[in-house]
């Protein structure tokens, strides 16, 4: 199957022509103009049809004359422009057309079709299966509504000669019924909406950059998304950062952004850029290290979170920090609180987030009693053991550490020795990592990219 993305933007497109935010200004300056999201499959099936779409097809060098099936997800106007049926009837009254979608969406179309037009309306609800000229279409529940619950759907489309895709716009985090329906689907491509970007306060009817990777993790857990699935983010709005930055967000999750007019070949081998198996995230206090590191693994269904800080009895402020970290971790993540990091790295088979090397080193120094005459050589042995376990870890590892070499010189000999030792640990871990990132004021600066 060939899928041409006639548009990849949200209802107002990107940039919004009335907006002067940084995201819109940058998109306009770069000529990255996105229309309302829709797609054309094999020149025969049109997925959604907002006002932008017919003209977008012309700009993409595609004709809609061969479209035999229009699949509507819901009745919002950026997905449904019934006037297109009238325009079609002026030149195509001799060829049949199936208009498939929720009943409310179809009702908005009926007055735009003449009594003799060969248009067949096919109302559908989640759970139904229909066959359209050899294409098998399953209708799935969406976490989205126009007038009432259940009046928005998603589509699972399998081609007559192979290839299978999931058209998942508009929706928020997928309902359990949909995750059950796509179990072991092993899609060749998933087109997943990501409307709200950095905004998490705009409702649950769309994804943002927190819920998007969690939905991907759920799809991976269900066997719907695999290592070879092409995941394309669509329905993009100016709530997202500029495209280049958005692409950096999506890449660790195995997803990408494409331009309007891009043709995606379904079923062909996917060539994906390599991803780092070892990543070191550095930064000062409150620089956003942990949040960034967690985001790198947010699309993984299972992660071992190695929390090295432990519990500090009587320290209420520390307890609140720990509770905040725990609360924001996805439910599928397993938290292990220990300073025996090397042992865990040797045994675990899933991705690991190690947070952080600074508290790990503090714990090992205390464990060996170095401040009261203990064995410094034992600490060096712990560092060597950690590096060996990191080198041989079975899955991806993201390690967080404090960048302590940029501040004032510690006033005590113990402080200076700790700073120097942590600096050497950071350098050694960086040498074992394909990617190294420095966080400053919440902004990631790659020091080494894979």
């Amino acid at each position: 199957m060939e899928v041409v993305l006639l548009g990849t933007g949200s209802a107002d497109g990107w940039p919004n022509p009335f907006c002067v935010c940084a995201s819109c200004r940058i998109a306009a300056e770069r000529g990255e103009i996105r229309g309302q999201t829709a797609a054309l499959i094999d020149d025969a099936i049109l997925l959604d049809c907002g006002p932008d779409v017919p003209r977008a097809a012309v700009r993409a060098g595609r004709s809609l004359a061969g479209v035999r099936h229009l699949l509507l997800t819901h009745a919002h106007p950026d997905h449904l422009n019934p006037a297109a049926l009238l325009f079609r009837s002026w030149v195509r009254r001799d060829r049949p057309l199936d208009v498939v979608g929720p009943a409310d969406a179809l009702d908005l179309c009926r007055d735009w079709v003449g009594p003799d037009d060969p248009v067949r309306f096919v109302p559908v609800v989640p759970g139904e299966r229909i066959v359209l000229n050899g294409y098998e279409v399953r209708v799935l529940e969406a976490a989205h509504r126009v007038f009432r619950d259940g009046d928005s759907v998603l589509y699972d489309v399998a081609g007559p000669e192979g290839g299978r895709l999931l058209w998942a716009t508009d929706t928020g985090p997928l309902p359990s019924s949909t995750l059950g329906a796509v179990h072991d689907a092993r899609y060749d491509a998933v087109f997943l909406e990501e409307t709200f970007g950095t905004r998490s306060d705009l409702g649950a009817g769309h994804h943002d950059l927190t819920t998007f990777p969690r939905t991907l993790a759920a799809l991976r857990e269900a066997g719907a998304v695999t290592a070879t699935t092409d995941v394309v983010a669509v329905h993009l709005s100016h709530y997202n950062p500029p495209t280049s930055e958005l692409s950096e967000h999506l890449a660790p999750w195995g997803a990408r952004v494409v331009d309007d007019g891009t043709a995606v070949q379904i079923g062909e081998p996917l060539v994906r850029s390599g991803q780092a198996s070892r990543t070191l995230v550095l930064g000062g206090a409150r620089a956003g290290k942990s949040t960034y590191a967690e985001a790198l693994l947010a699309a993984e269904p299972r992660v071992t979170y190695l929390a090295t800080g432990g519990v500090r009895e009587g320290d209420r402020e520390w307890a609140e920090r720990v509770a905040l970290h725990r609360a924001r971790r996805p439910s599928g993540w397993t938290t292990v609180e220990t300073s025996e990091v090397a042992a865990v790295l040797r045994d675990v088979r899933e991705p690991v987030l190690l947070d952080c090397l600074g508290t790990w080193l503090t714990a090992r120094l205390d464990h060996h009693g170095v401040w009261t005459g203990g064995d410094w050589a034992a600490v060096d042995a712990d560092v060597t053991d950690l590096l060996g376990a990191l080198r041989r870890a079975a899955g991806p590892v993201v390690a967080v550490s404090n960048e302590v070499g940029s501040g004032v010189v510690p006033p005590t000999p113990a402080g200076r020795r700790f700073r120097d030792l942590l600096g050497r640990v950071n350098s050694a871990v960086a040498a074992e990592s394909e990617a190294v990132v420095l966080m400053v004021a919440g902004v990631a600066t790659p020091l080494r990219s894979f």
Side-chain angles (χ1 to χ4, degrees):
M1 288 193 296
E2 179 191 59
V3 178
V4 178
L5 286 163
L6 302 179
T8 58
S10 58
D12 52 345
W14 185 16
N16 180 315
F18 301 96
C19 185
V20 294
C21 75
S23 178
C24 286
R25 290 200 310 271
I26 291 171
E29 289 170 1
R30 294 176 178 174
E32 297 171 347
I33 312 301
R34 300 179 186 275
Q36 295 158 349
T37 292
L40 181 62
I41 302 177
D42 293 338
D43 293 326
I45 296 179
L46 185 59
L47 289 164
D48 283 327
C49 185
D52 286 352
V53 172
R55 189 58 52 187
V58 176
R59 286 193 293 269
R62 299 289 174 147
S63 170
L64 300 182
V67 171
R68 296 292 175 269
H69 316 287
L70 170 57
L71 273 56
L72 300 172
T73 55
H74 60 292
H76 276 146
D78 56 314
H79 295 262
L80 171 58
N81 175 32
L85 297 174
L86 175 63
F87 305 152
R88 179 184 185 274
S89 73
W90 292 347
V91 294
R92 283 292 174 210
R93 300 188 69 173
D94 57 327
R95 296 190 179 184
L97 175 71
D98 294 324
V99 181
V100 180
D104 288 334
L106 301 189
D107 287 344
L108 295 177
C109 297
R110 297 183 190 277
D111 289 343
W112 294 87
V113 174
D116 299 325
D117 289 347
V119 174
R120 180 174 69 121
F121 292 105
V122 184
V124 294
V125 296
E128 290 190 339
R129 292 173 182 254
I130 56 175
V131 177
L132 303 172
N133 197 30
Y135 294 88
E136 183 176 349
V137 178
R138 295 198 307 163
V139 186
L140 307 173
E141 181 183 359
H144 196 74
R145 60 176 289 170
V146 183
F147 307 110
R148 59 185 65 83
D149 291 341
D151 63 2
S152 300
V153 300
L154 313 176
Y155 291 108
D156 172 338
V157 182
E161 298 180 2
R164 188 175 179 185
L165 67 87
L166 174 63
W167 184 252
T169 183
D170 291 358
T171 184
L174 298 176
S176 57
S177 64
T178 298
L179 291 173
V182 303
H183 178 74
D184 207 27
R186 304 183 66 84
Y187 289 110
D188 295 292
V190 169
F191 300 91
L192 182 61
E193 75 112 81
E194 202 291 285
T195 308
F196 286 157
T198 58
R199 296 288 298 272
S200 59
D201 59 336
L202 298 176
H206 291 287
H207 285 109
D208 54 45
L209 286 172
T210 297
T211 56
F212 181 91
R214 293 185 179 180
T215 289
L216 277 183
L219 288 169
R220 288 191 170 101
E221 182 77 354
V225 169
T226 71
T228 61
T229 303
D230 189 5
V231 179
V232 180
V234 294
H235 210 267
L236 304 170
S237 80
H238 67 148
Y239 294 124
N240 283 286
T243 302
S244 57
E245 187 178 336
L246 177 60
S247 295
E248 292 176 1
H249 276 281
L250 298 178
W253 306 334
R256 63 181 179 132
V257 178
V258 301
D259 295 333
D260 285 15
T262 297
V264 178
Q265 302 299 325
I266 307 298
E268 291 189 355
L270 176 65
V271 178
R272 196 191 303 279
S273 59
Q275 295 181 357
S277 62
R278 307 290 180 268
T279 301
L280 175 62
V281 182
L282 297 166
R286 296 297 189 182
K289 304 184 300 295
S290 295
T291 300
Y292 179 84
E294 290 166 9
L296 290 178
L297 297 174
E300 298 289 343
R302 295 285 180 265
V303 172
T304 294
Y305 197 115
L306 269 176
T308 63
V311 178
R312 301 178 184 179
E313 295 295 336
D315 191 333
R316 180 177 177 180
E317 189 271 342
W318 181 260
E320 290 174 351
R321 288 185 181 223
V322 171
L324 179 63
H325 275 245
R326 286 174 178 166
R328 72 185 185 209
R329 294 170 202 159
S331 59
W333 290 22
T334 300
T335 300
V336 179
E337 295 185 353
T338 182
S339 68
E340 300 291 343
V341 168
V344 177
L345 287 176
R346 281 192 287 267
D347 291 341
V348 76
R349 293 295 178 266
E350 59 197 21
V352 172
L353 198 163
L354 196 172
D355 193 359
C356 74
L357 292 173
T359 52
W360 170 80
L361 181 59
T362 299
R364 300 317 293 169
L365 293 171
D366 291 343
H367 176 76
H368 295 297
V370 298
W371 308 122
T372 56
D375 188 0
W376 282 94
V379 177
D380 292 336
D382 284 346
V383 173
T384 300
D385 193 27
L386 169 68
L387 294 173
L390 177 66
R391 194 176 299 122
R392 297 174 179 81
V397 179
V398 177
V400 176
S401 191
N402 301 296
E403 175 48 59
V404 293
S406 301
V408 298
V409 176
T412 65
R416 291 191 292 274
R417 190 160 189 177
F418 175 81
R419 179 200 62 179
D420 293 347
L421 181 55
L422 182 56
R424 290 196 292 272
V425 170
N426 289 345
S427 296
V429 172
E432 297 292 340
S433 301
E434 296 95 341
V436 181
V437 176
L438 177 65
M439 297 297 300
V440 179
V443 178
T445 300
L447 303 180
R448 177 187 298 151
S449 299
F450 182 59

